[in-house]
Amino acid sequence: MAAKNILIVGVGGQGTILIGKLLSSGFMQAGYDVKMSEIHGMSQRGGSVFTMVRYGDKVCCPVIEEGSADLLVAFERLEAMRSLSYLKPEGTALVNDLRIDPAGVLSQQLDYPSNIVEAISHAVSAIIVPATQMAKDLGNERVMNVILLGIIVKHMGLEAIDWNEIIAQNVRASFVDIDIAALNLGLSYIAE
């Protein structure tokens, strides 16, 4: 199988790296060669975080180049817009419909762009998800990332991997049950 590329983008503290690690563990369990890399841009101060996951029969480089991502997973709208150039023409953007104002907007030096969701949906094949609200409804806003993981799994046809086991092995015991519930919520988000 030729390498598949998943680019996960968000703001520091949203859990992009955890999802990259869960995906990588799942792909290794399934017997794929996997490479993961991370780029932190002032992540502790709300800056951008990129997590790149590549998997296939043989993967040489951990870095996803522009125009080569099969799937762009964005934990925030503006991060999705900033990263669209990484998608292949036939790629898909999975976007959490969440607005987090960057420092320039908070200081009133910049305006947050309007109509981002519409622009993304017009530019590429997109799945827009209210994942943060879904996580709040489930009881913990922090599991938004695992809801998105469930959607990734469903969208990419990765249900044969034991994601419950991957979660149990990689998250704190106190989060396992709610993370599995979040995963199942994501899996059920996209209809058969």
Side-chain angles (χ1 to χ4, degrees):
M1 174 183 125
K4 295 278 188 185
N5 302 317
I6 302 172
L7 175 62
I8 307 162
V9 298
V11 174
Q14 285 191 292
T16 61
I17 295 170
L18 173 63
I19 295 309
K21 288 179 180 176
L22 293 175
L23 283 168
S24 296
S25 294
F27 295 142
M28 286 188 284
Q29 181 191 79
Y32 292 111
D33 186 21
V34 181
K35 301 287 187 285
M36 178 179 147
S37 65
E38 309 153 13
I39 301 170
H40 310 265
M42 297 289 287
S43 60
Q44 294 299 319
R45 299 177 196 263
S48 298
V49 178
F50 278 55
T51 301
M52 300 175 182
V53 179
R54 302 189 69 223
Y55 71 100
D57 291 335
K58 181 69 178 157
V59 178
C60 297
C61 175
V63 177
I64 297 172
E65 295 181 8
E66 287 195 37
S68 65
D70 296 283
L71 182 64
L72 166 64
V73 182
F75 288 17
E76 193 273 341
R77 293 182 220 150
L78 186 56
E79 294 301 326
M81 194 69 170
R82 289 177 179 163
S83 305
L84 285 181
S85 64
Y86 282 87
L87 266 180
K88 289 180 176 178
E90 68 277 13
T92 300
L94 169 58
V95 182
N96 180 24
D97 192 6
L98 175 69
R99 173 181 170 162
I100 298 176
D101 289 345
V105 172
L106 292 172
S107 67
Q108 299 179 344
Q109 294 174 349
L110 299 170
D111 292 325
Y112 193 95
S114 61
N115 303 321
I116 289 179
V117 170
E118 294 81 3
I120 292 168
S121 296
H122 181 73
V124 299
S125 173
I127 302 167
I128 310 298
V129 183
T132 298
Q133 186 58 54
M134 292 166 69
K136 286 178 184 176
D137 294 345
L138 197 58
N140 189 330
E141 182 177 344
R142 296 184 64 184
V143 300
M144 167 274 297
N145 58 349
V146 185
I147 291 171
L148 292 174
L149 173 64
I151 297 170
I152 295 166
V153 167
K154 187 70 166 190
H155 176 74
M156 297 191 78
L158 302 168
E159 295 96 329
I161 297 170
D162 188 347
W163 296 103
N164 290 351
E165 179 184 336
I166 298 299
I167 288 171
Q169 292 173 349
N170 289 282
V171 303
R172 285 186 293 184
S174 60
F175 277 88
V176 170
D177 289 343
I178 195 165
D179 278 343
I180 289 173
L183 175 76
N184 290 328
L185 190 57
L187 285 168
S188 65
Y189 187 79
I190 297 180
E192 294 288 337

